[in-house]
Amino acid sequence: MTASTDERRITAQHLRRTALVYARQSSPDQVRTHAESTRLQRGLVERAETLGWARAELIDEDLGVSAAGYAERLGFQRMLALVATGQAGILLCLDASRLSRNSPDFARLFQLCAYFDTLVADLTVVYDLSMPDDRMVLGIKAVVSEMELQTLKLRMRSGIESKAARGEFRFMLPAGYAHDTDDRIVLDPDRRVREAIEGVFAAFGPTPSIRQLALHYQDNRRCIPVRENRGKRGLRWVVPTPATLIKVLTNPIYAGAYVWGRSHMRVEFKGGQLRKRQSGRSRAPEEARVFIPDHHSAYIPWEQFLANQARIAENRARWKMADNKGAVRSGEALLTGVVRCGHCGRRSCQSGACGPPM
């Protein structure tokens, strides 16, 4: 299409409305590292002025938000609302992939633009979606954009799975471990860090629960190292909470195992949109997609790790109160969940194995 063709598509009615410039990038990391793309997209305001609009509204709320169909894009919804109310004369974007990456969003947007006589433009072409040829061309670009995303995802996922199967995929390591120059997992070279992690496992042995272990650390103002901000800021020393300790005690990496793919992702239809959700508990390490025992140096043997998991599971609240060794959350006893056995440390021990029942 030539410039004269674009001018014929643009009418005085279009110019009386607002020009919308839609800017989007798929992730916060892309926003940080691909600043030129952001600059180009925001620069479309000048293209709107060149085409004859006196004012252009920049919609950039979706910078850092994926367009795969699982994320809620507030900017995209605002853009649809302006088109549906007849306020938009033209919609400018860098290319079709910026608008969306899935067919339902494309279809809804194209239908509204055609019905309410809103033009769509990229860096070089102005499209009138009420014209079959223009709609076909932009529709082909939309299909290619969606296929491109699926191809990229498949290629990246295959590469990650291949490296993980060999135990070579690099991920953020918890405190106590580091990557060497060959990307192998090794014990942290800092002796203080290693001793602090060893101390957690040593202290958990005689302690009846993670909560009691946390109280021990808090009473003695003892700190342990934690990794923060995806490892970019190194380690931070904190007095641990129960949540901090359970991450250490339940992580199989401390038992020398390389584990990848424990989480469950499910897709649900809610509020008229597809949404990705991570299910509650992770798979057991042995049931993960990749499980390689004895992969690297360990802080504790695998048998001790399994014993620790059994103890933690016993302390977890369960519906059968007779089997519950953790906090009893309902009942008629005056001191339910408060009184502890002086011999074993369990709450309201009545088995008689530790002495006279309380």
Side-chain angles (χ1 to χ4, degrees):
M1 298 180 187
T2 63
S4 59
T5 305
D6 293 346
E7 292 173 359
R8 288 199 299 271
R9 283 173 166 75
I10 300 172
T11 66
Q13 181 180 355
H14 293 131
L15 294 174
R16 283 194 294 268
R17 301 180 190 173
T18 303
L20 303 179
V21 175
Y22 181 66
R24 184 193 64 80
Q25 285 182 273
S26 299
S27 67
D29 185 63
Q30 286 190 5
V31 176
R32 289 191 298 268
T33 58
H34 300 163
E36 186 65 19
S37 175
T38 305
R39 188 191 67 80
L40 283 173
Q41 293 184 71
R42 287 174 170 166
L44 289 171
V45 172
E46 298 177 1
R47 171 157 169 72
E49 296 172 354
T50 302
L51 291 172
W53 271 267
R55 182 176 65 89
E57 181 177 346
L58 176 64
I59 299 177
D60 60 357
E61 295 98 312
D62 295 340
L63 286 174
V65 180
S66 171
Y70 300 110
E72 184 176 2
R73 292 190 288 155
L74 299 179
F76 186 80
Q77 296 302 322
R78 183 160 74 91
M79 180 179 65
L80 288 180
L82 291 172
V83 172
T85 54
Q87 300 180 53
I90 191 171
L91 168 61
L92 296 100
C93 60
L94 191 62
D95 54 56
S97 66
R98 299 302 94 193
L99 291 171
S100 185
R101 288 283 197 172
N102 67 92
S103 298
D105 284 352
F106 277 125
R108 179 169 49 170
L109 175 62
F110 291 175
Q111 182 181 26
L112 289 175
C113 288
Y115 187 82
F116 291 99
D117 192 22
T118 299
L119 304 175
V120 177
D122 55 23
L123 284 174
T124 58
V125 183
V126 175
Y127 301 92
D128 183 351
L129 295 180
S130 63
M131 302 175 63
D133 288 349
D134 284 13
R135 188 160 185 165
M136 181 186 69
V137 172
L138 198 55
I140 291 174
K141 288 187 175 182
V143 172
V144 171
S145 173
E146 185 177 19
M147 181 59 66
E148 177 189 41
L149 175 66
Q150 299 303 320
T151 302
L152 287 173
K153 281 185 174 181
L154 179 61
R155 190 180 303 156
M156 293 176 63
R157 190 181 302 118
S158 299
I160 291 174
E161 290 178 353
S162 178
K163 291 191 70 174
R166 301 192 304 268
E168 298 175 1
F169 177 66
R170 180 167 176 164
F171 49 82
M172 187 186 72
L173 297 175
Y177 283 105
H179 286 107
D180 65 8
T181 55
D182 296 324
D183 278 348
R184 292 175 300 188
I185 300 176
V186 296
L187 297 177
D188 196 297
D190 191 327
R191 180 178 176 182
R192 182 188 175 204
V193 172
R194 296 197 307 271
E195 290 179 347
I197 298 299
E198 291 169 354
V200 172
F201 292 103
F204 184 60
T207 308
S209 68
I210 292 179
R211 179 178 178 276
Q212 291 299 308
L213 181 60
L215 291 175
H216 167 73
Y217 273 93
Q218 292 169 13
D219 292 342
N220 294 278
R221 304 305 299 171
R222 291 177 58 190
C223 295
I224 66 171
V226 296
R227 188 87 63 186
E228 63 174 13
N229 194 26
R230 300 189 63 82
K232 294 181 180 179
R233 294 183 183 175
L235 299 178
R236 182 166 60 97
W237 290 82
V238 299
V239 177
T241 62
T244 305
L245 292 171
I246 199 168
K247 289 180 181 179
V248 176
L249 294 168
T250 59
N251 195 333
I253 195 172
Y254 289 110
Y258 182 97
V259 179
W260 179 83
R262 296 180 65 188
S263 60
H264 297 268
M265 294 298 296
R266 70 177 188 273
V267 178
E268 60 183 26
F269 189 75
K270 186 176 182 180
Q273 289 186 330
L274 290 173
R275 300 180 185 274
K276 279 187 177 180
R277 291 287 184 269
Q278 185 167 340
S279 59
R281 292 179 183 172
S282 301
R283 298 185 182 99
E286 299 91 337
E287 298 174 358
R289 298 175 69 177
V290 176
F291 172 67
I292 307 175
D294 301 322
H295 177 266
H296 52 268
S297 300
Y299 281 88
I300 57 173
W302 182 252
E303 293 74 19
Q304 182 181 342
F305 173 80
L306 294 178
N308 289 347
Q309 305 319 297
R311 286 181 56 199
I312 293 171
E314 287 180 349
N315 287 326
R316 189 177 297 124
R318 287 169 285 179
W319 290 108
K320 294 182 179 180
M321 292 295 107
D323 298 332
N324 200 328
K325 296 181 181 179
V328 182
R329 298 170 187 265
S330 62
E332 299 178 356
L334 178 63
L335 299 177
T336 297
V338 178
V339 175
R340 289 181 175 272
C341 174
H343 295 273
C344 68
R346 295 175 179 172
R347 294 173 176 81
S348 303
C349 181
Q350 298 181 1
S351 64
C354 301
M358 299 182 66

